[in-house]
Amino acid sequence: CNLNKRDLTSMLEKGSLVIAFDNLNIQSKNDLKTVFDFMKEYPLCRYIACSAEPEIIIKDKKINEELFPEQVYLHSFKKIHT
């Protein structure tokens, strides 16, 4: 698929995309600001954010609930867990 910047911007503005932020560093104010600014610029899109932070850190830190109103915590499954 050849998607140019104009087409991508149009899709973002219409909310036609699901955007995923992988390995988000929730302890970095700069990273969070960058993500939040992007989400505010394109509020109609749906967003998924994943973090590799230890579970104990994630449970103790609620991310901006206005931007991420539904927060789900999944435990990382390794071979020993299956």
Side-chain angles (χ1 to χ4, degrees):
C1 171
N2 290 331
L3 191 64
N4 63 38
K5 185 175 180 178
R6 184 185 66 223
D7 292 341
L8 176 59
T9 302
S10 175
M11 292 174 76
L12 287 165
E13 289 170 347
K14 292 177 184 175
S16 301
L17 300 173
V18 175
I19 309 296
F21 299 104
D22 190 20
N23 205 18
L24 180 63
N25 181 353
I26 64 172
Q27 296 185 43
S28 168
K29 289 182 181 182
N30 185 54
D31 286 1
L32 291 176
K33 181 181 180 332
T34 300
V35 169
F36 294 159
D37 288 348
F38 185 88
M39 292 173 71
K40 286 179 183 176
E41 188 167 349
Y42 303 106
L44 299 178
C45 290
R46 304 211 59 185
Y47 294 92
I48 299 169
C50 302
S51 175
E53 304 292 344
E55 184 177 359
I56 190 76
I57 292 172
I58 293 174
K59 282 187 175 180
D60 290 341
K61 183 174 178 101
K62 278 286 190 188
I63 305 299
N64 186 323
E65 291 180 350
E66 180 182 325
L67 291 172
F68 291 106
E70 186 174 339
Q71 298 180 30
V72 177
Y73 303 99
L74 299 175
H75 182 274
S76 174
F77 289 100
K78 297 183 176 151
K79 188 174 184 176
I80 60 170
H81 297 117
T82 58

